[in-house]
Amino acid sequence: RTLAHLYGAEGENYSVRLLAEGLATLLIFPPNTEHVDKLKMAQSSARRAGKGLWRSELVRPVSSSEVAEHENGVLWVEGRIERLRKTRFAVFIELPGDLVLKTTHKEWVTFESWESEFQRGQRISVLGDLYRVKGRPRIRLRHPAQLMD
């Protein structure tokens, strides 16, 4: 699969435009992070203005305790951190409802400035791709742009 940035004839970044109009959600796949600040800003302003999909009642944060009821796919989740666990291979952030946010040590480096936010009891809000491992819901944390403001 190829990830690319699409531009119009006048140099307009179509990803930024789609996010600014609320017609898409932001998913970052490192190392493709070249325009992440512009993309994040476009999504945040569309969300605050209630544009496009952000107008919908369907696009709201879901409590981590309710995640088990949802199918796999992109989901905006909120919850309080119950535990942060580091292993040899990955970092796991456990939330109520059996939800686990997982990141590799290589990706964790981009979160280090956020580490004070990842303390037990802290509220976290994440937009990511929900999947399951042995029936247990997970979201892969790839980049701090997934953290919702």
Side-chain angles (χ1 to χ4, degrees):
R1 170 166 112 170
T2 300
L3 296 176
H5 295 281
L6 233 48
Y7 294 90
E10 302 296 317
E12 179 183 18
N13 183 322
Y14 286 139
S15 296
V16 170
R17 182 176 179 184
L18 288 170
L19 288 164
E21 292 179 14
L23 301 175
T25 58
L26 177 60
L27 290 177
I28 298 294
F29 294 91
N32 188 9
T33 60
E34 184 178 348
H35 302 290
V36 70
D37 292 335
K38 288 181 203 170
L39 296 166
K40 177 75 174 179
M41 195 178 330
Q43 176 176 274
S44 293
S45 69
R47 187 171 63 80
R48 282 192 299 272
K51 290 184 175 180
L53 62 90
W54 300 107
R55 269 193 310 256
S56 172
E57 286 295 315
L58 299 174
V59 182
R60 62 169 181 77
V62 172
S63 166
S64 63
S65 300
E66 299 171 8
V67 167
E69 303 166 14
H70 291 268
E71 298 295 322
N72 296 350
V74 176
L75 193 61
W76 179 9
V77 177
E78 290 185 335
R80 294 210 177 268
I81 296 172
E82 292 185 331
R83 182 176 175 206
L84 182 126
R85 185 169 47 91
K86 295 180 182 180
T87 69
R88 257 180 53 200
F89 304 104
V91 177
F92 300 91
I93 300 168
E94 299 174 6
L95 304 177
D98 220 20
L99 176 66
V100 175
L101 308 176
K102 177 194 175 196
T103 187
T104 66
H105 283 291
K106 183 178 178 183
E107 293 162 340
W108 181 250
V109 171
T110 64
F111 289 96
E112 284 180 340
S113 65
W114 292 83
E115 194 157 355
S116 65
E117 303 289 321
F118 298 128
Q119 302 299 316
R120 184 182 175 137
Q122 291 284 359
R123 187 186 144 286
I124 189 169
S125 184
V126 174
L127 181 67
D129 197 13
L130 179 70
Y131 65 100
R132 296 178 193 280
V133 174
K134 296 180 182 175
R136 194 171 180 193
R138 282 196 182 172
I139 291 178
R140 176 81 178 268
L141 285 180
R142 298 178 187 278
H143 194 275
Q146 289 176 257
L147 301 173
M148 301 295 280
D149 47 15

